[in-house]
Amino acid sequence: MTVSKQVSLTCSGHTRPVVCVAHSGLTSEGYFMISGCKAGHPMLRKGETGDWIGTFHGHKGAVWGATLSKDSFRAASASADYTAKVWDTVTGDMIRSLEHKHIVKSVDFSYDCKKLLTGSNEKLLKVFDLKVNDDDYFSLEGHTASIKSTLWVNEFMIISGSEDKTIRIWDTRNRAEFKQVVVSSPVTSLELSRSHDLLLATYGSTIAIYNASSLKLVKTIEWPIPLNSASLHKDKSCIVAGGEDFKLYKIDYETGKELESYKGHFGPVHCVRFSPDSELYASGSEDGTVRLWQTVPGKAYGLWKGSENESKSTPSIVTNN
C-alpha cells in the first residue's frame, strides 16, 4: 500500500504572526476562510484553494479574532485597537465599528447573524444587536481575567473560555451564568462540533471534550507539548491540533493516539481549524503564514490533483498578487 505524502499549501500575504483562522459554512460558491494577524488586516480567501479574495482595512491594532457568517456575506474581527468590526465580504466595506474599553480577543455571530458576541480584556462578554444602528449591547460579567474565546451554542446559550482557567455557559434570557468548569491552565481555544453537541477545548497540554449543553466532561487527551488550538473532524473520527513545537498533529478521537504529524511552519502554531466539509484543515503560525493540509493526503481536492499527478518537488504557493 502506497501512503501519499502530505503537501501543504502556503497562503502568504500576512506580514506578522497569524493568530486566528475561521471558515464560513458551505455555500453555492463553496466555502470561504478568514484569517487575522498581528499586523491588523484580516484576509478573506477561497477556502478550498487559499486563493486571496481581499483584505479588510480599518483596524489600527493586531487582530486577535475573526469569524465569518454561515452564509459568508458578513465577517467580524476583534482587535487590539479596542474595537470589534463587522464587514461586508462582497464589497469589503466596514459596516459597524463597535467600541470597547480594552483589547477585544474574540467575536462570533449568532446563527441568524442579528447579534455579535465579543470577549475582551475587559473580562466581559458583550452581545451587540446588529439590527439597530447604535451600539446597543448587554454585558455578561463573571470572568476574572481576559476572555480568550466566545461561542454561540444556540439562540439563548453562550460559551466562553478565559485566562482565569474557567469555561462558562451563559443564558442570554436571564443574562446570567448557567454553569462553569475550572481547568488546570488558561484556556487557549474553544470549538463547537459541527453537530453542536460537543465542545472542544485546549488548555496547557490538554484537549478536553465536553457536552456543549451541560459542560459534562466526555473525555480528555493529554499531549506531550503545550497546545494552542485543536479542531474536531465533522464525523468525530479525529482531531487536529497544533502548539509550541511547530507541528500539526492528527489524533484518533477514540484512542487519543497520534495518527500523523507534519512540520511545515517555522514557528509555533497558534490556530487550526477543519474546513466545513473536513476535507482539509487550515493552520496559522508565528511565521506569518496560513497553511492548508489535506485530511487524506493524495486525494484530488482544490489545488491538489491527487496522488497520480502530485508534485514531487515543492508545495504549491498561494499568494495575494
Side-chain angles (χ1 to χ4, degrees), residues 215-236:
L215 287 186
K216 181 179 179 181
L217 184 64
V218 176
K219 67 189 303 179
T220 59
I221 299 171
E222 300 300 329
W223 213 243
I225 57 105
L227 296 171
N228 295 321
S229 185
S231 186
L232 181 62
H233 192 283
K234 68 173 185 177
D235 68 9
K236 302 173 185 173

Side-chain angles (χ1 to χ4, degrees), residues 13-222:
H14 288 298
T15 57
R16 296 201 61 202
V18 178
V19 292
C20 57
V21 292
H23 297 97
S24 71
L26 292 170
T27 75
S28 59
E29 302 295 325
Y31 62 91
F32 300 85
M33 176 178 70
I34 191 170
S35 55
C37 82
K38 292 183 181 180
H41 306 299
M43 289 188 176
L44 183 67
R45 300 178 186 269
K46 283 288 293 180
E48 302 93 331
T49 63
D51 288 334
W52 178 81
I53 296 172
T55 302
F56 300 107
H57 293 282
H59 280 299
K60 293 181 171 64
V63 170
W64 290 103
T67 192
L68 290 167
S69 61
K70 300 302 179 185
D71 63 10
S72 80
F73 290 122
R74 293 288 182 267
S77 51
S79 175
D81 66 7
Y82 293 19
T83 70
K85 297 186 188 295
V86 181
W87 311 86
D88 184 315
T89 59
V90 177
T91 65
D93 294 336
M94 183 177 65
I95 300 172
R96 300 284 294 276
S97 183
L98 306 169
E99 300 292 329
H100 292 65
K101 295 180 180 179
H102 213 308
I103 294 168
V104 189
K105 288 290 186 70
S106 180
V107 283
D108 195 36
F109 287 112
S110 60
Y111 287 92
D112 59 8
C113 216
K114 295 179 180 178
K115 296 182 177 67
L116 186 74
L117 170 65
T118 69
S120 73
N121 286 6
E122 292 179 74
K123 309 170 190 175
L124 297 175
L125 294 161
K126 292 185 177 181
V127 178
F128 290 86
D129 187 346
L130 300 180
K131 302 189 305 296
V132 298
N133 291 325
D134 59 12
D135 290 355
D136 182 35
Y137 70 88
F138 64 85
S139 298
L140 300 170
E141 300 183 33
H143 281 296
T144 58
S146 299
I147 296 170
K148 176 68 174 180
S149 184
T150 54
L151 297 169
W152 288 93
V153 181
N154 56 42
E155 183 181 0
F156 304 114
M157 191 178 295
I158 287 168
I159 291 181
S160 58
S162 169
E163 291 182 4
D164 65 10
K165 303 180 184 179
T166 67
I167 300 169
R168 306 181 189 223
I169 296 181
W170 309 80
D171 190 325
T172 61
R173 290 167 293 191
N174 57 21
R175 302 183 180 182
E177 181 183 312
F178 171 68
K179 187 172 182 179
Q180 70 167 273
V181 294
V182 179
V183 298
S184 58
S185 300
V187 177
T188 52
S189 74
L190 296 177
E191 184 196 57
L192 276 179
S193 63
R194 294 290 169 188
S195 53
H196 308 300
D197 59 331
L198 296 180
L199 175 73
L200 193 72
T202 57
Y203 50 87
S205 302
T206 301
I207 301 170
I209 298 96
Y210 299 91
N211 179 290
S213 298
S214 66
L215 287 186
K216 181 179 179 181
L217 184 64
V218 176
K219 67 189 303 179
T220 59
I221 299 171
E222 300 300 329

